[in-house]
Amino acid sequence: MNLDATWRQVTIRLAEQHPCLDPFAQDVHLGEGILSVDDEVTVDEFRPALVAALEATLARLGQRLIDLPVTDLRDRPEWMAAGLEAR
């Protein structure tokens, strides 16, 4: 199963709890490895949605965040602000 298909399955399941993940509205969209967030979606809305979707997607793919080759991202303030290191 590829990342885009898994992301769609996960966001369909999470859309009720996190409306910005509704795959039909595409306020938050992942396609071809590129994540996009509509400018009108607030940080308070998309941050918990992205964390939930990322965790569920990785779990479904059998991956752990710590094992992904995202070393440079871990140094960015956005990474720290997202609280991903605690995961």
Side-chain angles (χ1 to χ4, degrees), residues 24-77:
F24 302 104
Q26 294 194 351
D27 292 332
V28 175
H29 176 74
L30 179 71
E32 298 181 22
I34 299 171
L35 178 67
S36 59
V37 179
D38 188 282
D39 291 339
E40 294 183 19
V41 180
T42 66
V43 172
D44 289 339
E45 183 180 2
F46 77 73
R47 182 182 293 157
L50 284 177
V51 170
L54 176 62
E55 287 178 338
T57 299
L58 290 174
R60 185 165 283 190
L61 291 170
Q63 296 290 317
R64 297 181 326 157
L65 185 59
I66 194 76
D67 296 332
L68 297 179
V70 292
T71 306
D72 293 342
L73 289 176
R74 287 187 173 97
D75 296 333
R76 296 183 54 104

